Amino acid sequence: MEIVLGLDCDGVVLNYGPALLEFGRRKGLRIGCEWHEVDMYHMSMAFPDLTKDDIMSLIEEFALDDGFGEITLMPGFVEALEALREEFPGLKVVAVTSAGREERTIELRKSNLAPLGFNEVHVLPLSASKKDHLSQLPAGSVFVDDLKKHVDAAEEVGLQGVLVRQPYNSEDSHVHVMHDWMEGCRIISSLLRQGAERAKAA
């Protein structure tokens, strides 16, 4: 029986927001607020002088910058992953990230994740649906994302979803919400055990 933990990267594994703001600062852009104050996914508060299209262009540019391959990990992630691997020997960890399809972007993302020993890393186009990739994971697997639409997509294909709370998704609700990786480890552990029990019963 295969046990799989699927993970989004930006805002889940990697502390993307502060890194993007720092990239903007290096380019001389005016930063309108701190990352924890960003209340919408389009990040207009953070970049008040840019249009939404300009912000998307900035995101695409950052995905080709050396700094994209050096984004720091979310606090507590390494410890949580170690604990889950200890509890579930043979745990398969798969990244499904919508970072962009440029070869440089894929190379940087994979190099950033390389020390974590993921079994698979799938890098999709920006804003792409993850549903097709998630449908390939075994039923009962757990998928963690900071966007509710991807958590919902995971559940539509038979997975168990966990929403990572971020300032920009504060209006979204879900039965499984983690505020940090200490809490996330407990939630994921419980869901993996439930998935394994259901698989045995089937």
Side-chain angles (χ1 to χ4, degrees):
M1 182 183 63
E2 190 173 51
I3 302 176
V4 179
L5 172 60
L7 298 169
D8 176 39
C9 290
D10 297 313
V12 175
V13 174
L14 302 173
N15 203 6
Y16 177 84
L20 179 65
L21 264 59
E22 179 56 31
F23 178 67
R25 286 191 183 94
R26 285 197 280 118
K27 289 180 59 64
L29 297 176
R30 182 168 69 96
I31 306 301
C33 65
E34 295 301 320
W35 178 248
H36 68 271
E37 299 172 309
V38 174
D39 63 352
M40 293 295 289
Y41 188 68
H42 55 65
M43 294 182 282
S44 294
M45 280 183 63
F47 302 104
D49 300 329
L50 303 184
T51 66
K52 291 180 183 179
D53 287 343
D54 291 337
I55 294 172
M56 183 56 68
S57 295
L58 181 70
I59 290 170
E60 292 171 349
E61 184 179 353
F62 179 48
L64 300 172
D65 183 79
D66 286 348
F68 187 75
E70 301 169 353
I71 302 174
T72 59
L73 297 174
M74 294 292 284
F77 175 73
V78 169
E79 293 81 359
L81 185 60
E82 288 176 351
L84 290 168
R85 281 174 164 157
E86 183 176 348
E87 182 178 1
F88 302 95
L91 177 67
K92 183 176 180 180
V93 184
V94 176
V96 183
T97 173
S98 302
R101 288 300 300 166
E102 294 285 346
E103 286 301 318
R104 172 72 172 156
T105 299
I106 296 171
E107 173 190 330
L108 289 168
R109 175 49 44 95
K110 289 185 174 181
S111 70
N112 203 170
L113 297 177
L116 300 171
F118 282 22
N119 298 86
E120 298 176 15
V121 176
H122 302 278
V123 186
L124 312 183
L126 280 168
S127 303
S129 169
K130 300 178 180 179
K131 192 170 184 177
D132 287 345
H133 279 75
L134 295 175
S135 68
Q136 299 173 33
L137 301 182
S141 298
V142 174
F143 182 68
V144 184
D145 206 295
D146 61 327
L147 288 189
K148 189 172 184 295
K149 66 177 184 179
H150 296 313
V151 175
D152 291 343
E155 293 176 337
E156 288 169 11
V157 297
L159 309 185
Q160 303 180 92
V162 179
L163 178 67
V164 176
R165 180 62 74 211
Q166 292 284 6
Y168 46 78
N169 67 25
S170 61
E171 298 299 314
D172 295 324
S173 60
H174 190 267
V175 65
H176 301 300
V177 177
M178 54 175 275
H179 296 81
D180 56 47
W181 269 104
M182 181 179 292
E183 180 181 29
C185 185
R186 293 194 298 269
I187 294 172
I188 293 166
S189 173
S190 176
L191 292 175
L192 287 173
R193 287 196 301 270
Q194 292 173 27
E197 290 167 3
R198 281 198 292 269
K200 287 179 182 178

